Amino acid sequence: MEQPKTAIIGAGIGGLASAHFLKKSGGAIEIYEKAAVPGGRIQLLEKDGARVDVGTQYFHTNYTETYQLLEEVGLKEHLIPIRPPVKIMRGGRGYLVKHNTKRYKMIPLSSNLKFGKIILTALLNFGRLDPYFNTPLPEFEDVELSDYILKRCDRDALEFLVYPIITAFNLSEPEGESLAHFLRITKQFLTSSDTCLPMGMYSFPEKLAARLPVTYQAEVERILLDANRVTGLQVKIGGKSQTVKTDAVVCATPLKELPRMLPELSDEEKSVARDYVYSQFPLVVFFLKKRLPENHWAFVFSRTENFKASFASDAAFKCAQMVPSGKSVLQVWFVGGPGEELVDQPNNVIIEQAKKEMERIIHRFDHEIESVQVVRHHTGMSRYKVGVYSRLRKFLETTARFKGLYLVGDYYGHSTLETVIRSANRAVEKLRKEDLSEATLNDGYG
């Protein structure tokens, strides 16, 4: 078998995108994926003819490089809009909210006006706010979001505007998050709507993987170096370790996995990888006996009323083509502290908590359930906490000393497909440039 010129670790969207871009320029590549299927955090649940997204849920319309890649694999033309609105719950009442809502009626007018300061801050810094890449914003990066909102706005704005936005866009809570992160999300919120694929989001990595060489159930144990230059990988396939020789490695795994594969990292670099945390949560999927009589695709719950769940979404309303029966498929999301507490609990504990939440807003909910499944996410969306941005930039600078190693992931600015695909594009551009420089140097002295 031909040794791969470039070995790619991970068949999530970052690894698959990297392989796609490299394949266009020729050369031998191979992807090593420890799971049995591609996709990473893009996951699909199939049951009784329904195809339900249980990982990544949608594309934002201001994605650029993601949409280009979708076009290249023949999927862009199939995108369909997700129908708004969502319903924010307060005091037993639901308030419908769309992207273009001018006044949020679940909070007082004074709270709306105070929150306008955050919108104004985003607008005044609009050109500097790249929602998908880690450009420096020093005056905002080390400001804690919830403290800032409580000082500049009020608790109503925090709980019924900031909390719903950050849970929906980043599956996290406001506490501990960087204000810079929220301003990026605000620009994303203001400038985009949402689309999805009627075959399911999983059709994206599935289509890419079908065109690429992937070795599944292959766990990379170590990236091999000689004097800080990549020479290969140690990979366990079929229970046996083997060495793969290669002069370039694209690592497209969650950042927390890198220290295991690359023990040559400095203590500070290992600390960055350890401190860069991901949301962890269980997702409870209820297949119901009938369609709910609702005109929105998600409920958003309030922490102030002791809800443990953050929101619940109806997969059948979100994308009717994916659920031919028309019956509601209700997904209950536990985010932040409650998610971390529940993620490793037994299924029955998680399911009972989800039922308890839904009984509060849907009468006799228990009687509507046909079946239920639990999906766990231990590496959900990345958190951009106070202090992390500058450390990530420094980490990416110092790890450049490993020649032939290219890092791809959401740690370049935001936990989105667009960030990952942009980082894949840039890694491949850098790899090609360095290949060309080395070839020129060798020709000159050959």
Side-chain angles (χ1 to χ4, degrees):
M1 183 177 73
E2 182 185 7
Q3 292 286 354
K5 180 176 176 59
T6 302
I8 298 167
I9 308 173
I13 201 65
L16 294 170
S18 300
H20 173 84
F21 299 141
L22 283 165
K23 186 180 178 183
K24 290 199 298 184
S25 61
I29 56 174
E30 183 69 30
I31 305 171
Y32 297 95
E33 168 57 50
K34 67 180 179 180
V37 294
R41 286 170 282 184
I42 303 178
Q43 298 181 23
L44 183 72
L45 178 61
E46 296 185 83
K47 187 178 185 301
D48 300 332
R51 292 169 60 87
V52 182
D53 293 318
V54 291
T56 303
Q57 294 286 312
Y58 44 73
F59 303 99
H60 295 291
T61 51
N62 60 2
Y63 287 175
T64 54
E65 296 181 31
T66 301
Y67 272 43
Q68 176 62 37
L69 183 55
L70 284 164
E71 186 171 26
E72 290 180 18
V73 298
L75 289 175
K76 184 180 177 182
E77 63 188 59
H78 298 291
L79 290 172
I80 57 174
I82 295 176
R83 295 177 292 165
V86 301
K87 180 180 281 189
I88 296 181
M89 306 300 297
R90 184 172 193 180
R93 180 182 172 187
Y95 297 83
L96 296 180
V97 172
K98 299 181 180 181
H99 268 284
N100 59 356
T101 297
K102 299 296 188 296
R103 181 190 169 186
Y104 299 93
K105 295 183 179 180
M106 65 280 183
I107 62 174
L109 176 60
S110 59
S111 297
N112 278 267
L113 294 174
K114 290 173 184 175
F115 185 70
K117 298 176 184 177
I118 308 303
I119 303 297
L120 181 60
T121 301
L123 293 175
L124 289 173
N125 292 276
F126 209 70
R128 300 172 60 214
L129 290 172
D130 186 336
Y132 306 119
F133 236 63
N134 183 358
T135 50
L137 295 167
E139 68 270 45
F140 303 122
E141 291 177 355
D142 294 332
V143 178
E144 202 272 347
L145 174 60
S146 60
D147 284 348
Y148 184 87
I149 297 298
L150 289 173
K151 289 175 182 176
R152 298 297 183 93
C153 303
D154 57 27
R155 185 158 293 279
D156 275 340
L158 176 68
E159 298 296 342
F160 294 96
L161 293 179
V162 175
Y163 174 74
I165 290 171
I166 201 165
T167 54
F169 279 73
N170 204 67
L171 298 177
S172 61
E173 294 178 295
E175 288 71 28
E177 297 295 322
S178 166
L179 174 61
H181 184 208
F182 187 74
L183 292 175
R184 286 185 165 98
I185 289 175
T186 301
K187 180 172 181 178
Q188 189 181 6
F189 175 67
L190 292 172
T191 59
S192 71
S193 56
D194 306 322
T195 62
C196 63
L197 289 164
M199 306 79 76
M201 297 291 285
Y202 184 73
S203 58
F204 188 22
E206 186 178 44
K207 193 80 173 279
L208 281 166
R211 302 169 172 217
L212 297 166
V214 186
T215 300
Y216 293 103
Q217 297 180 310
E219 182 177 5
V220 174
E221 299 175 306
R222 186 158 183 173
I223 299 169
L224 303 176
L225 301 174
D226 181 9
N228 279 349
R229 174 170 286 280
V230 168
T231 59
L233 297 176
Q234 183 177 313
V235 188
K236 183 182 286 186
I237 303 174
K240 295 182 179 181
S241 292
Q242 56 185 272
T243 298
V244 176
K245 293 181 179 180
T246 181
D247 53 10
V249 167
V250 174
C251 184
T253 68
L255 187 56
K256 66 178 185 177
E257 294 187 20
L258 189 60
R260 172 183 61 81
M261 297 182 288
L262 194 63
E264 291 84 355
L265 290 173
S266 70
D267 289 344
E268 170 59 17
E269 289 163 346
K270 290 175 183 176
S271 175
V272 172
R274 182 185 65 246
D275 294 344
Y276 182 70
V277 296
Y278 297 81
S279 56
Q280 300 185 62
F281 58 93
L283 175 62
V284 185
V285 185
F286 291 107
F287 292 84
L288 303 186
K289 297 175 183 177
K290 63 183 182 183
R291 185 179 184 87
L292 293 175
E294 302 288 348
N295 61 344
H296 53 87
W297 80 276
F299 300 89
V300 181
F301 305 131
S302 170
R303 301 185 296 179
T304 64
E305 297 173 10
N306 296 318
F307 277 95
K308 299 296 183 185
S310 298
F311 58 93
S313 54
D314 188 344
F317 189 90
K318 169 197 162 189
C319 185
Q321 293 92 324
M322 292 180 64
V323 188
S325 70
K327 299 176 183 178
S328 287
V329 181
L330 205 65
Q331 300 171 280
V332 182
W333 302 73
F334 294 92
V335 167
E340 292 175 3
E341 292 170 10
L342 283 170
V343 67
D344 291 320
Q345 292 293 316
N347 280 1
N348 65 305
V349 173
I350 299 170
I351 291 168
E352 285 306 311
Q353 183 64 53
K355 286 181 181 179
K356 180 180 177 181
E357 304 290 284
M358 297 312 304
E359 286 281 1
R360 294 177 63 179
I361 62 169
I362 298 177
H363 181 59
R364 292 171 60 85
F365 177 75
D366 190 55
H367 292 78
E368 302 295 336
I369 301 168
E370 196 168 72
S371 65
V372 58
Q373 295 195 36
V374 175
V375 178
R376 289 174 171 79
H377 290 278
H378 289 92
T379 310
M381 298 184 79
S382 50
R383 301 280 305 276
Y384 283 88
K385 304 180 85 171
V386 169
V388 75
Y389 279 113
S390 59
R391 293 183 73 198
L392 284 171
R393 285 194 293 269
K394 184 67 174 177
F395 172 88
L396 293 168
E397 289 174 9
T398 59
T399 53
R401 71 183 182 279
F402 298 114
K403 302 305 179 185
L405 176 65
Y406 305 89
L407 301 178
V408 169
D410 51 10
Y411 40 86
Y412 282 84
H414 193 6
S415 187
T416 63
L417 288 174
E418 179 71 6
T419 299
V420 175
I421 290 170
R422 285 195 193 190
S423 73
N425 241 329
R426 281 146 186 76
V428 170
E429 288 171 4
K430 183 180 177 184
L431 191 157
R432 288 171 177 159
K433 182 178 179 181
E434 290 177 356
D435 267 356
L436 182 61
S437 296
E438 190 165 316
T440 302
L441 183 64
N442 289 339
D443 285 346
Y445 288 94

